[in-house]
Amino acid sequence: STPLRSKYKEFFSGGNVPWVKTMDLTNGPIITTDEKITSLAASTCRPFPKDAVLVAMYGGFNQIGRTGLLIDAAAVNQAISAIVVNKNICQPEYLLQYLNHNRNRWKQYAASSRKDPNITRADVVAFQVLLPPLPEQKAIADLLSTWDSAIEKTERLIWAKEKQLRLDSNWMLFGHRRVRHRETKLVHGQFFRHPIDWQLVKINSIAKEVSLRNANSNERVLSCSKYDGFVNSLDYFGKQVFSSDTSNYKVIKKGQFGFPSNHIEEGSIGLLEHCEEGIVSPIYIVFKVDEQKVYSQYLYRLFKTNIFQHIFQINTSSSVDRRGSLRWIEFSKIEVPLPKLDEQKEIADNLSVIQKEINLLIKLLEKYKLQKRGLMQKLLAGEWRIKSEIVDRYGKDGI
């Protein structure tokens, strides 16, 4: 009833005690949570002290074993087990790193569980941890935290660059910010505004459908992903998800566009660039543009904007094909904003610079993560030992 819900809300909400949930566990320090409860509510679920190590027990294989380290005292929900360590024996930061590195071991506990795999507090208590001397634990935890810091900073840079790319794309691809400081009046279209000196043209006036079947038994099967564009299907999925008979598949060549007609509203449209030729499922629409009118990279980036994803969704919903598909006849009637060819290239090249920066940061992030995994594998198993003169400083100085 409403009175009970109100009483329940007053009992739990509006307090000042942090309330940690499974979604707050990010395998690192828990600095903030998005919810706080009252002291009265906290008294019923025993708040845990600063430096408690948290482990997720429920949520299936994607959730169990996720960890967190309390920076301040907090209450936790029933899906989390909290470990309060004896700091004379175990360093909390070391335990956190050890659990993160051995997360797959939880699957052994949960594999025999019911339909929703989980672990229990008894499993957490029984989890065996390899403990070097306390000064060495501190040294290992500090060393690994250096990589954590580099990983976190790189992830933040990637997020900032991706945000910049989205914003710049929406400004530049629709002419709201012009290259070479051009300033022109904007006019309103159905879905967006565009410069008065840009054309608004239908896709069928600048591109045509291509429907070439796989007569040569080309075996490079491609798939189009939402974020990565065209990828080799076997490499991307790690297994065969396409038909064993590819004789009816469509050929797509370098520089051509394609999209699965039943998924384009999710943003799955690609421009083939990484190989000369491949084949795609018969449900794909393949087309090529008139290069005298369109710079392919400009059009591709335009199609990947949230605005055009919305346009694709609307046109898919209104399609006469009631199976949720967008065929060429409807797709080709969609209008796109088109500046002159040289400005198209300038826009695409500007956005490409940001994309290259993102790609370099992603490679750097992968390198950091690989280096950390290698260090964890050796250090946490005792195969590599930190130099004694470094470990001694942790023992003597109490670092």
Side-chain angles (χ1 to χ4, degrees):
S1 68
T2 300
L4 279 176
R5 284 200 300 270
S6 176
K7 186 176 180 181
Y8 179 86
K9 183 177 180 181
E10 290 175 4
F11 180 71
F12 276 94
S13 303
N16 57 6
V17 180
W19 173 249
V20 179
K21 306 171 292 301
T22 303
M23 65 181 291
D24 297 319
L25 304 184
T26 58
N27 301 322
I30 300 172
I31 300 172
T32 59
T33 61
D34 63 356
E35 192 172 342
K36 288 182 170 61
I37 60 174
T38 63
S39 298
L40 182 61
S43 67
T44 67
C45 56
R46 187 191 170 193
F48 289 92
K50 175 180 180 294
D51 292 333
V53 178
L54 309 182
V55 180
M57 298 188 296
Y58 306 121
F61 287 130
N62 291 331
Q63 298 285 347
I64 59 171
R66 284 173 60 179
T67 63
L69 178 67
L70 290 182
I71 298 300
D72 293 302
V76 303
N77 71 10
Q78 69 275 14
I80 296 173
S81 186
I83 306 166
V84 181
V85 300
N86 182 342
K87 293 183 182 179
N88 293 319
I89 300 173
C90 179
Q91 186 74 9
E93 291 83 0
Y94 173 86
L95 179 60
L96 182 79
Q97 297 284 2
Y98 192 90
L99 292 175
N100 289 341
H101 181 58
N102 291 278
R103 185 176 169 186
N104 283 337
R105 279 169 52 186
W106 295 117
K107 293 183 180 180
Q108 299 171 14
Y109 293 94
S112 60
S113 296
R114 295 164 297 283
K115 60 181 180 180
D116 184 18
N118 60 72
I119 56 178
T120 66
R121 285 183 172 83
D123 294 329
V124 175
V125 171
F127 197 93
Q128 292 188 335
V129 180
L130 185 64
L131 288 179
L134 194 60
E136 191 170 354
Q137 292 180 41
K138 294 178 180 178
I140 290 172
D142 268 6
L143 179 61
L144 294 177
S145 71
T146 302
W147 263 261
D148 287 335
S149 178
I151 289 169
E152 182 185 357
K153 288 177 181 177
T154 307
E155 287 175 337
R156 286 204 303 265
L157 276 173
I158 291 171
W159 180 87
K161 288 289 183 182
E162 287 177 337
K163 181 179 179 181
Q164 179 189 349
L165 181 59
R166 288 193 299 271
L167 290 173
D168 285 359
S169 294
N170 285 334
W171 281 107
M172 299 179 72
L173 291 166
F174 297 95
H176 297 185
R177 190 172 76 218
R178 305 289 291 273
V179 291
R180 298 184 184 177
H181 307 289
R182 300 183 178 109
E183 295 292 339
T184 52
K185 178 183 177 182
L186 296 176
V187 294
H188 289 271
Q190 183 179 1
F191 298 103
F192 49 80
R193 294 184 302 157
H194 63 89
I196 195 169
D197 61 318
W198 285 19
Q199 293 180 289
L200 194 61
V201 302
K202 291 183 178 180
I203 292 173
N204 59 20
S205 70
I206 57 171
K208 64 178 181 179
E209 185 179 14
V210 177
S211 189
L212 179 62
R213 299 293 170 171
N214 183 30
N216 298 323
S217 299
N218 189 323
E219 293 301 325
R220 187 194 294 271
V221 180
L222 305 174
S223 294
C224 187
S225 69
K226 179 178 179 179
Y227 299 106
D228 300 320
F230 278 110
V231 293
N232 292 345
S233 184
L234 282 174
D235 296 338
Y236 188 76
F237 293 105
K239 60 181 181 179
Q240 182 170 326
V241 296
F242 51 86
S243 172
S244 56
D245 180 10
T246 60
S247 60
N248 196 39
Y249 274 43
K250 293 181 179 179
V251 176
I252 182 169
K253 297 183 179 181
K254 190 172 185 177
Q256 294 180 346
F257 289 79
F259 62 88
S261 58
N262 58 343
H263 288 300
I264 188 173
E265 76 281 1
E266 300 172 2
S268 297
I269 186 168
L271 170 64
L272 185 58
E273 296 180 294
H274 76 279
C275 64
E276 292 298 322
E277 186 176 295
I279 56 174
V280 292
S281 166
I283 68 169
Y284 274 68
I285 303 298
V286 179
F287 64 96
K288 63 180 181 180
V289 299
D290 182 344
E291 295 181 354
Q292 300 299 314
K293 299 178 181 178
V294 184
Y295 186 61
S296 295
Q297 273 292 337
Y298 165 83
L299 190 62
Y300 175 64
R301 292 198 175 278
L302 188 68
F303 286 154
K304 300 299 280 188
T305 60
N306 290 334
I307 291 174
F308 265 85
Q309 187 173 330
H310 176 65
I311 292 171
F312 294 150
Q313 187 175 29
I314 289 174
N315 279 272
T316 299
S317 300
S318 62
S319 171
V320 293
D321 187 334
R322 298 180 183 273
R323 294 171 295 177
S325 296
L326 184 60
R327 303 294 180 179
W328 173 256
I329 190 168
E330 292 92 9
F331 174 82
S332 66
K333 295 176 184 176
I334 294 172
E335 292 183 320
V336 297
L338 207 65
K340 292 181 179 179
L341 196 61
D342 63 337
E343 190 173 358
Q344 293 178 43
K345 188 175 188 306
E346 288 173 336
I347 292 169
D349 289 349
N350 272 273
L351 297 176
S352 180
V353 169
I354 305 174
Q355 185 64 62
K356 286 177 181 177
E357 292 174 352
I358 293 171
N359 293 343
L360 288 173
L361 285 170
I362 289 173
K363 288 181 180 179
L364 181 62
L365 178 63
E366 291 171 350
K367 183 179 180 181
Y368 284 149
K369 288 182 175 180
L370 182 62
Q371 289 174 340
K372 189 193 172 188
R373 282 197 298 270
L375 279 173
M376 293 177 84
Q377 185 173 354
K378 298 296 184 181
L379 290 172
L380 297 176
E383 294 180 34
W384 286 356
R385 307 294 294 271
I386 295 178
K387 291 180 179 180
S388 58
E389 57 265 31
I390 297 176
V391 173
D392 288 345
R393 293 206 302 268
Y394 286 83
K396 294 175 181 177
D397 302 336
I399 298 176

